[in-house]
Amino acid sequence: MVAEGELLWEPSEEIVESARLTHYLRWLGRPGDYEQAWRWSVDDPAGFWSSIWDYFEVIGDKGGGPVLSGTMPEVTWFDGASINYAENALRRTEGTAVVFVSEDGGRQELTWAELRAEVARVRAGLVRLGVGRGDRVAAYLPNIPQALIACLATASLGAIWSAGSPDFGVPSIVDRFRQIEPKVLIAVDGYLYNGKSYDRSAAVNEIAAALPSLRATVWIPYLAAAEEGRAPQQAEPAPGHAGQVPHGEVIGWEGLRAEEGPLEFERVPFDHPLWILYSSGTTGLPKPIVHGHGGVVLEHLKSLAFHQDLGEGEVFFWYTTTGWMMWNYLIGALLVGATPVLYDGSATYPSPVALWRIADSEDVTYFGVGAPYIMASLKAGVHPEGLERLRGVGSTGSPLPPEGFAWVAAELPGVPVGSFSGGTDVCTGFVGATMLHPIRAGIIPCRSLGAKVESYDPLGKPVIGEVGELVVTRPMPSMPVMFWNDPAGERYAESYFDVYPGVWRHGDWIKVNEDGSCVIYGRSDSTLNRGGVRMGTSEFYRVVERFEEIADSLVIDTGQLGQEGRLLLYVTLAEGAELTEPLERALADALRRELSPRHVPNEIRVVPGIPRTLSGKKLEVPVRKILLGTPVEQAANPDAMANPEVLRYFTEGS
């Protein structure tokens, strides 16, 4: 066990001096400690976000209207401004713009000049297909260069991008794309994962058939090209594909990019839709979350430069698929002149060291993964090698236990690990790290600049040093401009502002410390509440999953308002392990000792797998609903799950 709060890393004077955040604070004329800068950024959001525009010399017209007007949720930013995300992302012309690595060893590199030329070609192709300002372009693509190119081409036109990963099931993708009525669908014939190939041709045909709004389907023969050892753009789709898509014309990627065209940018209002992301979709239809050009540009410039300390010459990697908001964050590296490394494949194939080897071979300077990968590396006894240029490690997706912090500190001496927490809803992190903060085990060093994050007690009052609801009490420009097909804003308001009027409630438990650091304890709607003692599930998993016999776990509190329920622990055992009486006693003793006697489970059940979303998050809330009587088929959308077959093991009588 590692004590929460144990000091693991401190920045040297040289690191502080060279940090981009330090340079910004001096430019601003506000040198001093971070908490003072944070307080100003949230007390004067108009002044702060205006300074971000000026400091980064954002391309566009800042407009003559007020920087900020209205109150949440009805807020207007930079009234009268005009901007284009792609114009800001493609402002550079020399050097390496993007690197692509695939699981099978394939590698591609694009210079800024090549990337700009490819975007211009695809932009011209989209124009030929009738795509213009406000039209939607949907993508069923893995994390490959074509996804980035098509996204930038779409944005350059003022059209709206929306993507789903090809490991999503057909119903899940249709539930997303049917809501937004895309004009063009860009899709792959399949993908590689964990040493196997997955043909998605039939799935693409089903998706296209369910989207009558389509004017064209663009096929990328990614799988066929990989098997034949050639680049995807060198092949047209197989003849059989064209006859199976009922709407519009069918072309290949080469057909889309066949003609040169000018690289032009349609400047749009600050809040003009840039892309549509989606909630996890574990129950009901996924929420189509719309972000605007201006909000994303300013937020990603601020976050990537000041919280990841990225700039020109840096190499940025984050393990993600196109179906997770971290892909949108990853490509934001272009805004600060850094080089994003796109990776398509398994994180652990052919070995648990796979991602660390990519970080070494590509000279990655900032390496980001989900917290489970760091913990898996710890359990597998991984010892990363090389990594001479690595200056930071990022973790997100779920709380990183103190042991994960300590493992990075031990294996990568001198490299800080920053735990970040935010969400699809804002396409960034609310809380995170900087190069100015010391790193302590299990602690998130700071609230992000411009994010007035607070912890609310049950009465809606801010508290310090106590666990409460994570709320944001001042607007941020990357908050959604709307939900698609929600003209009156009712779904949007209900999603975030139904508990505290005018205050964003995010749905996480957080503790904010006196020094501004914080700890995230998991979702507030899956909290363990035993005899009035509330605890996030992350603390529970930290104890249970330390046991070598436990491969994975899920804890559910079946209590309801005013009525205490049972505490059930589900475990997936490591290979060769058994749930013996001594192991059950050891688990109970550890939980009693390290949490409280109230948090000893009433029962421990063995299951073959823990249900997770496609992005790897544990499905605590749907399982809780099942245990409280909701039918399995109504509690969760199987097409939004990585392993829907295990849900049947999670019923009260199982």
Side-chain angles (χ1 to χ4, degrees):
M1 291 289 290
V2 177
E4 183 175 279
E6 179 181 332
L7 180 64
L8 300 174
W9 178 87
E10 283 189 285
S12 64
E13 290 185 10
E14 181 182 357
I15 288 174
V16 171
E17 182 67 23
S18 63
R20 289 171 174 83
L21 177 55
T22 298
H23 183 276
Y24 163 73
L25 294 176
R26 285 179 178 158
W27 172 87
L28 198 64
R30 288 181 171 271
D33 67 29
Y34 179 86
E35 275 301 292
Q36 289 179 344
W38 175 81
R39 178 62 60 186
W40 168 74
S41 76
V42 297
D43 286 348
D44 183 11
F48 170 69
W49 291 106
S50 180
S51 80
I52 295 298
W53 184 302
D54 295 340
Y55 177 75
F56 288 102
E57 299 179 348
V58 170
I59 299 174
D61 182 350
K62 201 174 179 182
V67 171
L68 174 62
S69 59
T71 57
M72 292 190 292
E74 297 177 356
V75 170
T76 299
W77 289 94
F78 290 90
D79 190 21
S82 61
I83 190 173
N84 186 282
Y85 173 91
E87 186 175 12
N88 282 275
L90 293 169
R91 66 195 300 178
R92 291 160 183 85
T93 57
E94 296 182 357
T96 301
V98 62
V99 171
F100 168 64
V101 180
S102 62
E103 181 187 279
D104 63 358
R107 186 182 186 278
Q108 183 181 0
E109 189 174 303
L110 291 173
T111 65
W112 284 99
E114 289 168 337
L115 178 60
R116 288 168 59 88
E118 284 299 307
V119 171
R121 282 178 170 274
V122 172
R123 182 185 192 276
L126 291 175
V127 170
R128 290 196 303 274
L129 295 176
V131 175
R133 181 167 169 163
D135 290 329
R136 276 77 64 204
V137 174
Y140 191 55
L141 299 175
N143 188 10
I144 58 178
Q146 288 80 4
L148 170 60
I149 292 163
C151 175
L152 292 172
T154 299
S156 75
L157 292 165
I160 306 168
W161 173 260
S162 192
S165 176
D167 58 353
F168 280 36
V170 170
S172 179
I173 288 293
V174 170
D175 283 347
R176 286 160 167 75
F177 291 168
R178 186 184 279 156
Q179 295 184 71
I180 66 169
E181 299 179 301
K183 184 174 283 188
V184 172
L185 172 67
I186 305 175
V188 287
D189 59 350
Y191 64 97
L192 299 171
Y193 186 82
N194 211 30
K196 299 178 181 178
S197 59
Y198 295 86
D199 190 328
R200 302 302 287 160
S201 299
V204 175
N205 289 326
E206 287 185 57
I207 292 166
L211 301 174
S213 60
L214 289 180
R215 298 269 284 277
T217 299
V218 179
W219 283 83
I220 300 176
Y222 179 56
L223 186 60
E227 292 174 347
E228 297 173 15
R230 53 199 170 110
Q233 63 265 28
Q234 293 175 345
E236 289 296 307
H241 294 158
Q244 297 175 39
V245 177
H247 312 298
E249 61 180 300
V250 178
I251 62 173
W253 179 258
E254 179 61 22
L256 181 67
R257 62 174 294 280
E259 299 178 15
E260 293 183 359
L263 184 59
E264 298 175 340
F265 304 97
E266 175 82 7
R267 291 191 184 174
V268 292
F270 189 88
D271 62 356
H272 182 81
L274 168 62
W275 52 48
I276 301 173
L277 307 182
Y278 302 88
S279 64
S280 61
T282 52
T283 58
L285 279 178
K287 301 189 296 279
I289 300 169
V290 183
H291 293 118
H293 279 248
V296 169
V297 167
L298 293 189
E299 174 59 41
H300 286 185
L301 282 170
K302 176 228 43 174
S303 190
L304 288 160
F306 301 155
H307 293 282
Q308 263 82 44
D309 198 40
L310 286 167
E312 293 192 32
E314 308 281 350
V315 181
F316 184 43
F317 175 91
W318 208 292
Y319 180 66
T320 181
T321 71
T322 58
W324 188 21
M325 52 90 24
M326 289 308 301
W327 182 83
N328 304 74
Y329 191 76
L330 170 65
I331 67 170
L334 299 174
L335 292 167
V336 296
T339 301
V341 176
L342 313 178
Y343 173 67
D344 178 39
S346 167
T348 55
Y349 181 85
S351 78
V353 195
L355 300 186
W356 297 109
R357 286 179 175 163
I358 292 171
D360 178 42
S361 64
E362 297 301 332
D363 288 330
V364 168
T365 49
Y366 198 97
F367 174 84
V369 288
Y373 183 74
I374 292 177
M375 298 307 294
S377 296
L378 183 161
K379 286 193 170 187
V382 168
H383 300 291
E385 297 178 350
L387 305 171
E388 281 82 6
R389 290 198 66 205
L390 190 65
R391 297 195 303 108
V393 172
S395 171
T396 193
S398 58
L400 181 65
E403 290 75 18
F405 281 80
W407 179 84
V408 174
E411 293 292 335
L412 301 168
V415 177
V417 55
S419 182
F420 292 80
S421 185
T424 299
D425 321 78
V426 289
C427 203
T428 190
F430 291 121
V431 295
T434 74
M435 284 298 188
L436 311 188
H437 286 89
I439 301 299
R440 302 178 186 277
I443 305 293
I444 298 175
C446 64
R447 292 170 283 187
S448 298
L449 290 174
K452 192 170 186 183
V453 171
E454 297 187 80
S455 173
Y456 267 18
D457 68 12
L459 299 178
K461 302 295 182 183
V463 292
I464 296 294
E466 299 178 25
V467 178
E469 288 274 2
L470 190 163
V471 298
V472 184
T473 57
R474 291 287 176 89
M476 297 169 59
S478 69
M479 286 175 172
V481 297
M482 62 177 176
F483 286 176
W484 198 259
N485 291 333
D486 182 31
E490 294 176 359
R491 279 188 84 191
Y492 178 45
E494 289 171 1
S495 295
Y496 309 111
F497 302 97
D498 60 336
V499 176
Y500 310 111
V503 171
W504 174 291
R505 173 183 173 269
H506 194 59
D508 281 343
W509 289 122
I510 187 173
K511 178 177 70 175
V512 179
N513 298 316
E514 284 282 356
D515 63 357
S517 66
C518 51
V519 181
I520 299 288
Y521 293 96
R523 297 293 296 175
S524 56
D525 47 12
S526 60
T527 299
L528 311 178
N529 190 344
R530 311 299 294 168
V533 178
R534 298 187 302 173
M535 182 174 295
T537 54
S538 63
E539 293 181 271
F540 201 96
Y541 298 137
R542 178 189 174 198
V543 176
V544 172
E545 294 176 14
R546 191 176 71 248
F547 285 77
E548 292 182 358
E549 297 90 341
I550 308 300
D552 205 356
S553 66
L554 187 79
V555 63
I556 302 295
D557 184 350
T558 64
Q560 300 180 72
L561 188 62
Q563 177 183 352
E564 185 155 307
R566 304 178 75 221
L567 190 65
L568 302 177
L569 172 60
Y570 294 90
V571 297
T572 298
L573 297 172
E575 186 175 353
E578 295 182 8
L579 184 62
T580 61
E581 286 189 15
L583 177 57
E584 288 197 59
R585 285 197 301 271
L587 283 165
D589 289 345
L591 290 164
R592 182 182 295 108
R593 181 177 63 254
E594 297 172 32
L595 300 185
S596 82
R598 295 186 177 104
H599 292 88
V600 174
N602 298 104
E603 186 179 348
I604 303 176
R605 301 175 181 178
V606 177
V607 290
I610 300 301
R612 291 180 179 270
T613 66
L614 290 167
S615 59
K617 295 185 178 180
K618 299 183 184 186
L619 291 180
E620 296 164 331
V621 175
V623 169
R624 184 172 184 273
K625 289 181 178 179
I626 292 170
L627 293 170
L628 294 176
T630 300
V632 172
E633 61 273 12
Q634 296 179 20
N637 179 356
D639 292 295
M641 295 180 58
N643 52 349
E645 70 280 357
V646 304
L647 270 185
R648 62 189 179 93
Y649 297 98
F650 295 83
T651 60
E652 187 56 46
S654 63

